[in-house]
Amino acid sequence: MRHQGRRLVTAVATLGLSCVVAAGELPTDSLYRLHVSLETQAAQQVGLDLYRGHTTLISMFYGSCPAACPMLMTSLQVYESHLDEAARARLRVLLVSFDAARDTPQQLALLAEQHHTDSVRWSLVSAAEPDARRIAALLNFRYRRLPDQSFDHSLLITLLDPEGRVLATTQTLVGDTAFEAKLAAATAAPAAADKVPNR
Amino acid sequence: MKPPGVRKVRRTNISFVALLAGVLLPGAAIPAVADNPFVAVAGAEFRSALPARPQAPVTVQRFMLQQHAVTNAEYLEFLKTHGEWRRDAVPVVMADADYLSHWSGTLDPGPHAAPLQPVTRVSWFAAVAYCEAQHARLPSWYEWEWAAAASARQRDARADAAWRQQVLDWYSQPAGAVLPAVQQGPANFYGLYDLLGVVWEWVEDFNALLPADADPEKFCGNGAQNLEQKENYAVLMRIAMLGSLRASDTGRALGFRCARDAAGSP
């Protein structure tokens, strides 16, 4: 692990201030201000702002987690199942693994398949250290690698607006009605934009 | 547990006087910015106060840690070349509204932030960025805990009742209005200063330290509870405090120092 840590430290030093700020018009309270590199199921590098422009649910997990992570996936699917089809179509789901060593693109793809996630609107990605730690820091998500290579970690789902601002969080996997209401409101038809025919 | 502060250690009184002098005479004959070299800490296998499952010693590789907390003067130098971390530029998701709020201006520490005092009211993101700019990183919790286990004579003084009492005495001093300058206390075994006496310090994996009152239903895994070494009060306080923070939080007694992997270490 220290081997890897050292390389990463070097990489970070080379990148300079990788976590500093960006471009243009992002609000100061946007989580998309953090610049990190995520690897997708398709082995592409993307940023945390992958779904900028869409209401997004974001959480962290690790794929070999025996219990809570399958529950997290199911929970997200249940939360979005309460939306009508049009609202669901506006929603995106970003799941970030903090176990990049084991959650390879192939493994992420397998997980997505096992859970029948909607590949248009869902992405399973992994973040290596130190980016994973930074994303967790940003989300107020906690995780710790244990000697047996499992993790202790938070259960936390965060709802972001299209500009990456936090609208709501929940630590309840099923039935947080206040969170459901905010999710519904955030994915409701935009008043003006919706009148423009899509196609 | 004995109430803290029963026995006073003469040395800390001396440092208190020194700190007063430093604060009362800001600008008066203040030495050039103290060098803040990276000091080697030998690797070890030791029992951490953090719970683990199964309960087993943890290994820390040899590493380098800065001799003292990063000072206001050092942080000012960083801000001169990294404008994105000035308090009027940093995004609120990376530093809260109190970030450097005791400074007189964005590039002026002023009378309430003496050059040799530890810089405080800095967020975790800011501390990470500072260390990166030094081609360094924050220490991990285990590294910090191991470095802070040393007394002046022993690498691991945690079982030494006299040393533990000394640590508690540091903690029991009134919080006071002003922070001491760095390096007023005694050096530890490695030549590191003030790990336990002056400010709380960020660690790289602060958000691996689950809050002591964590609701088990809101965490996956059962290692979150049952901190070990309950007699090691000073360290447990650190864990509880760091575990309760958000990365954008700042505090008037919360600073940091940087670490590096040791050259040539495995």
Side-chain angles (χ1 to χ4, degrees), chain B residues 20-101:
Chain B
L20 276 180
V23 167
L24 293 175
L25 305 170
I30 285 190
V33 176
D35 195 18
N36 197 354
F38 286 79
V39 173
V41 177
E45 195 178 77
F46 74 106
R47 287 194 177 270
S48 168
L50 271 183
R53 181 185 68 240
Q55 192 52 238
V58 297
T59 302
V60 166
Q61 304 289 345
R62 182 172 185 268
F63 70 104
M64 314 292 289
L65 190 61
Q66 280 192 296
Q67 192 170 53
H68 57 75
V70 172
T71 62
N72 286 308
E74 291 175 292
Y75 201 76
L76 174 63
E77 289 305 305
F78 164 70
L79 290 184
K80 285 176 182 171
T81 52
H82 296 79
E84 64 277 19
W85 288 101
R86 293 176 194 171
R87 69 184 186 192
D88 56 352
V90 70
V92 296
V93 287
M94 294 192 195
D96 69 19
D98 286 330
Y99 174 65
L100 297 179
S101 60

Side-chain angles (χ1 to χ4, degrees), chain A residues 2 6 9 12 16-17 19-20 28-30 33 68 133-134 136-137 140 142-144 146 150 152-153 155 171, chain B residues 51 53 82 84-85 91-94 124 128 132 137 142 207-209 218-221 223-224 243 245 247 261:
Chain A
R2 289 249 61 96
R6 182 159 177 201
V9 165
V12 165
L17 295 174
C19 74
V20 187
T28 181
D29 53 350
S30 169
R33 293 274 193 148
R133 187 59 70 193
R134 288 182 176 170
N140 203 25
R142 293 169 186 275
Y143 69 89
R144 183 159 73 95
L146 299 174
S150 70
D152 281 348
H153 64 90
L155 296 175
Q171 294 190 294
Chain B
R53 181 185 68 240
H82 296 79
E84 64 277 19
W85 288 101
V92 296
V93 287
M94 294 192 195
W124 179 84
V128 166
E132 281 183 8
R137 57 179 171 79
Y142 287 142
N207 57 352
L209 312 177
K218 292 173 180 169
F219 287 90
C220 169
L245 290 175
D261 294 357

